[in-house]
Amino acid sequence: MLDELAQYTSHRDLLSNAVAPGRPTSAFLSPLIAPERWHLGLYLGSLRLSAPSFRHALRVTVAVLLAMFLSYAMAQTFQDDALKAIGTHGYWVVLTVIVVMKPGFALTHQRNGWRLTGTLIGCGVALVLFHLIQDTALYLAILFLFGVLGYAFIQVNYLVSALCNTVLVLTAFHLLSPGGDVVVGARFVDTLLGCAVALLCSYILPTWEVRFLPGLANELKAANIRLLKAAIALIGAPQNATDQARKSWGAAEQAVYVALSRFSASFYRMMNEPMRHQQQAVTFNHLMIQNHVLAMQVMHVVSTVESRPAAANEIKRALLEAKKLLESQDVPVVSNNKSYSMSEPHWVSDSVVPSMALQQLIDAAEAIRRDMVRSGAA
């Protein structure tokens, strides 16, 4: 094994030395995210009320202060031995607030529900386990199992992660003090209070998703323009440049998927916000659909060119027209003229590419341009 590691290290050093000094490396060999240097201006620029980071820090500060006051009040209220556990673990309120609160209102609301539901189910599972299992060795196995699951699901499914972490914590306390079911109730009460505080404080200087949707819409349009350029380059690429064109096409595809997922996630978060803050929901929804239609049609016609080269010229013409529509800064004018016949069956250049696919591609580009103007993102 050591020999294999040594060979790998020497091979890597040879590859790194093969690049001449001063010669630019390939984009595929460079890191996906360039490291940024920290500077004082970045910090000072966030110290203003309009900065989302400053508003979030202010919300969390108020929420934590309120949670600490509630924890102190609970410790002073529950002095009886039977209910002392409720006041003893008041720090769970503060912990819940810190974990639940997110910069966006919809994200806080969503995570709030996951935390509360997972804790409730976890408390029920813990009570059942405490009354069914008496063997300490089994509790150690439960600690190991739910400890692994709690951290494994923290980025995948937070509800499951909250459930597993609740069982983990309650099992640990049960091992220290068997028969103390009050701590289960204390866990749920503290989580309920923490979620209530987080939800209440999320209305303090909130950052609504509609603020970010125009910028994300521009990113999505730019990603589709990049996809169209890569498709045109791939169709017209000479034999010796095919590999580079395919790499550019693959990167453009990935960029569209990322931009579409970012835009759709922000849109659905906006739909979870109060109704008065769901501005231009119909326009943004149509914009999301048309961007998806455009990307899928471009990928469809490009895949068809490889098997049916006879349709390359017609497809390239449609791609150029769609690209021109997206790049145009003029206010779009609705036109009833169709570049292709919409009646089926009709085929372009006797290939398997229906004219409807090309017309949908162009119509989607025109609809995107029109919706960008309506939403104010253009």
Side-chain angles (χ1 to χ4, degrees):
M1 181 181 295
L2 293 177
D3 292 338
E4 292 180 0
L5 290 174
Q7 291 177 3
Y8 171 77
T9 305
S10 60
H11 180 66
R12 184 191 60 184
D13 294 337
L14 288 175
L15 289 178
S16 60
N17 294 331
V19 181
R23 178 183 175 183
T25 58
S26 172
F28 297 96
L29 298 179
S30 60
L32 294 178
I33 301 178
E36 297 183 1
R37 293 182 178 273
W38 187 90
H39 52 89
L40 186 61
L42 182 64
Y43 179 77
L44 296 178
S46 300
L47 295 179
R48 62 182 190 276
L49 195 59
S50 59
S53 56
F54 182 82
R55 296 159 75 98
H56 177 60
L58 187 62
R59 281 193 299 270
V60 173
T61 302
V62 175
V64 168
L65 287 175
L66 182 56
M68 292 176 66
F69 172 77
L70 289 176
S71 300
Y72 176 78
M74 291 171 60
Q76 298 300 317
T77 302
F78 299 102
Q79 296 290 341
D80 187 76
D81 292 338
L83 300 176
K84 193 174 182 179
I86 297 179
T88 303
H89 305 292
Y91 61 90
W92 281 339
V93 182
V94 180
L95 180 63
T96 300
V97 167
I98 295 175
V99 171
V100 166
M101 293 202 72
K102 294 296 176 183
F105 176 87
L107 285 174
T108 301
H109 187 271
Q110 184 185 58
R111 200 172 181 89
N112 203 321
W114 289 345
R115 175 81 174 188
L116 191 59
T117 305
T119 301
L120 177 60
I121 299 174
C123 289
V125 172
L127 282 175
V128 172
L129 293 176
F130 296 164
H131 287 84
L132 292 180
I133 300 175
Q134 304 299 329
D135 190 358
T136 305
L138 289 179
Y139 281 122
L140 293 176
I142 291 172
L143 283 175
F144 176 79
L145 175 63
F146 283 91
V148 172
L149 292 177
Y151 285 98
F153 280 94
I154 196 169
Q155 297 292 339
V156 180
N157 190 322
Y158 185 72
L159 190 151
V160 177
S161 177
L163 187 158
C164 296
N165 286 327
T166 300
V167 177
L168 172 68
V169 171
L170 294 178
T171 303
F173 277 100
H174 184 74
L175 283 173
L176 294 175
S177 178
D181 293 343
V182 180
V183 72
V184 179
R187 175 74 175 187
F188 180 72
V189 171
D190 292 340
T191 302
L192 182 62
L193 285 176
C195 289
V197 170
L199 186 60
L200 178 64
C201 293
S202 63
Y203 286 93
I204 300 175
L205 298 175
T207 303
W208 306 111
E209 288 295 330
V210 71
R211 176 179 178 179
F212 305 105
L213 278 173
L216 293 174
N218 277 300
E219 290 181 10
L220 182 55
K221 187 183 80 167
N224 265 322
I225 292 175
R226 179 184 175 186
L227 184 71
L228 288 167
K229 291 180 179 179
I232 295 169
L234 181 61
I235 292 175
Q239 190 68 27
N240 57 351
T242 303
D243 292 340
Q244 183 62 35
R246 289 184 182 277
K247 291 180 181 179
S248 300
W249 168 254
E253 275 187 312
Q254 184 178 10
V256 166
Y257 286 134
V258 172
L260 186 60
S261 64
R262 282 165 52 86
F263 181 84
S264 59
S266 181
F267 172 78
Y268 288 121
R269 286 197 298 267
M270 184 188 73
M271 298 308 295
N272 289 326
E273 295 175 348
M275 286 291 297
R276 64 181 180 275
H277 297 289
Q278 298 178 12
Q279 301 176 13
Q280 297 183 333
V282 176
T283 302
F284 283 122
N285 181 61
H286 191 254
L287 189 61
M288 178 177 61
I289 294 173
Q290 293 303 320
N291 272 283
H292 182 267
V293 170
L294 175 63
M296 294 304 105
Q297 291 293 357
V298 171
M299 296 176 190
H300 167 63
V301 297
V302 168
S303 64
T304 306
V305 171
E306 298 180 358
S307 59
R308 300 286 180 174
N313 291 332
E314 293 289 341
I315 292 175
K316 188 175 182 179
R317 183 170 72 88
L319 294 174
L320 287 170
E321 185 173 350
K323 173 176 167 292
K324 182 179 178 181
L325 286 170
L326 291 183
E327 291 178 337
S328 176
Q329 300 297 326
D330 299 332
V331 177
V333 179
V334 179
S335 175
N336 293 324
N337 297 326
K338 298 296 182 180
S339 302
Y340 301 94
S341 173
M342 298 294 290
S343 60
E344 296 290 350
H346 180 76
W347 309 93
V348 176
S349 302
D350 297 326
S351 71
V352 295
V353 184
S355 60
M356 182 176 291
L358 299 180
Q359 188 59 51
Q360 285 178 344
L361 190 151
I362 297 173
D363 289 344
E366 186 175 358
I368 291 170
R369 188 175 65 147
R370 186 164 52 247
D371 290 335
M372 292 290 289
V373 174
R374 288 176 180 173
S375 64

